[in-house]
Amino acid sequence: NLLRTPHGLRLIDFEYVAAADPNRELGQLVWEAELSDASARRLTEAYWRPVGDAARHLLDVGAWAFVTGVTWTLWGAGNPGLALWTRRSAERLRRHCTRAALDDTP
């Protein structure tokens, strides 16, 4: 969970350090920071640009963002202190699923 930058290593997340696909971390960040689609695309492109072909990672980042949304929304549903965030997260999931269903309409 370290990111190598021209300015040295930067810690991304220490709480859940694990050997994982970088797109998982990016997807979690996209969801938890409530980034727009455009911002998620810019983040993904900035992360993957040094190694090339950033566009092919967008789908994976989006999938991990969705998984994070589902799991965090379910977890937050049982925590009264997270009620507002949980409602916002659930609404984002609803919009995502509605948009995905419309995209699949012939």
Side-chain angles (χ1 to χ4, degrees):
N1 293 22
L2 295 173
L3 177 64
R4 184 183 309 226
T5 74
H7 307 288
L9 294 177
R10 298 291 185 248
L11 180 65
I12 295 176
D13 176 38
F14 192 70
E15 185 177 3
Y16 299 107
V17 172
D21 181 344
N23 291 327
R24 176 180 173 186
E25 288 289 334
L26 293 173
Q28 284 183 250
L29 178 60
V30 164
W31 193 265
E32 293 170 12
E34 300 182 18
L35 298 182
S36 68
D37 289 346
S39 294
R41 185 173 34 262
R42 283 194 305 273
L43 172 68
T44 303
E45 289 170 351
Y47 184 88
W48 286 109
R49 186 176 300 119
V51 294
D53 198 15
R56 73 180 185 89
H57 295 278
L58 286 171
L59 186 59
D60 290 345
V61 171
W64 278 114
F66 180 75
V67 167
T68 300
V70 170
T71 55
W72 280 107
T73 301
L74 291 173
W75 175 78
N79 187 330
L82 295 174
L84 178 60
W85 184 87
T86 301
R87 281 195 300 275
R88 282 199 324 259
S89 186
E91 177 58 25
R92 288 176 69 209
L93 284 172
R94 187 193 65 73
R95 285 194 311 267
H96 175 84
C97 291
T98 301
R99 187 173 61 221
L102 292 174
D103 289 347
D104 288 341
T105 303

